Amino acid sequence: MKDFSVSMALVDFIPVIFFAAAAVILMGDLYNKMSKGAFALFAAGTIDVTCAGALKATYKLLYAAGACDFEALNAIFFPVQSLGFLLAGLGVLLMLCKKQAALAVAPPVFSGTFLFVGLMVAGLGLMNLGLCILSSRLKKGWLMVFFVLSFVCSLCMGYLSSKDFARASMNWIAEGVNLVGQGAFLAGVLLLHKGGLKELKP
């Protein structure tokens, strides 16, 4: 029996909205700097991450409301989010390396959470590193703090995912960490946008 509440489930949608808003701003600002392949990877990755988060929050809401225990929505969260972060990170890396060829990324064919943790950390690391580099190019190095904080919170989320999420306390802790992480990500992206990211020459 999982100790979910409707309020907890609704709060879980907030970091998803934060990330989606940041992703939309980044897509607009980075579009003229990316090849079609890099942009496709970045867009697909951020959409994957957003959908994974929204489906996980929906799972909690359905469970808390007593509608059903739709376990499939819970089960797909980790692999879909991990692959999404990897794709987004590769898109940013390709932009920074100015590679024009599209990169084909095959989905993993074997199971195991270690693989997904590795993919998620690699993708998040690449994406946040790329945004730190862009902050430096805009001479706003202090914005790196937001992306480093977001990355650290995401690493904490990876650690927390190994804990017992049937308990309400663990869910609230994880949601708090996720709120801080995605809030920092959105704040960093908004400040990058206001600082002229869209006008920055590729």
Side-chain angles (χ1 to χ4, degrees):
M1 187 72 176
K2 298 178 175 107
D3 190 10
F4 295 157
S5 65
V6 171
S7 59
M8 177 192 297
L10 292 175
V11 168
D12 215 28
F13 280 101
I14 297 175
V16 177
I17 294 169
F18 282 174
F19 180 84
V24 168
I25 294 168
L26 282 174
M27 281 191 265
D29 286 352
L30 300 180
Y31 181 77
N32 63 344
K33 300 166 187 53
M34 289 181 161
S35 65
K36 290 181 180 178
F39 185 79
L41 284 174
F42 182 75
T46 53
I47 290 169
D48 272 4
V49 173
T50 301
C51 288
L55 291 174
K56 179 66 177 281
T58 300
Y59 165 75
K60 287 185 180 179
L61 185 59
L62 290 172
Y63 191 99
C68 63
D69 184 358
F70 199 162
E71 184 57 34
L73 295 182
N74 186 40
I76 65 171
F77 169 72
F78 207 23
V80 172
Q81 184 189 59
S82 301
L83 185 59
F85 276 125
L86 179 64
L87 293 175
L90 286 173
V92 173
L93 180 65
L94 285 176
M95 175 196 69
L96 293 172
C97 294
K98 299 187 182 300
K99 293 181 180 178
Q100 299 302 310
L103 179 65
V105 178
V109 294
F110 50 94
S111 61
T113 58
F114 182 77
L115 167 70
F116 297 125
V117 169
L119 291 175
M120 184 171 67
V121 170
L124 278 167
L126 289 171
M127 186 167 65
N128 284 287
L129 176 62
L131 294 173
C132 285
I133 291 170
L134 291 172
S135 299
S136 178
R137 289 182 182 176
L138 284 169
K139 305 201 182 306
K140 296 186 181 295
W142 59 276
L143 291 179
M144 294 181 190
V145 172
F146 291 99
F147 301 115
V148 171
L149 176 60
S150 176
F151 182 64
V152 170
C153 286
S154 296
L155 292 180
C156 290
M157 287 297 295
Y159 167 75
L160 289 170
S161 68
S162 66
K163 302 302 178 183
D164 182 10
F165 269 76
R167 293 164 47 203
S169 58
M170 287 308 303
N171 275 278
W172 281 116
I173 290 170
E175 286 184 6
V177 171
N178 202 19
L179 274 170
V180 172
Q182 297 308 328
F185 185 72
L186 176 58
V189 168
L190 284 170
L191 290 167
L192 266 182
H193 176 69
K194 289 182 179 179
L197 178 59
K198 193 168 188 174
E199 291 73 32
L200 181 68
K201 293 183 179 179

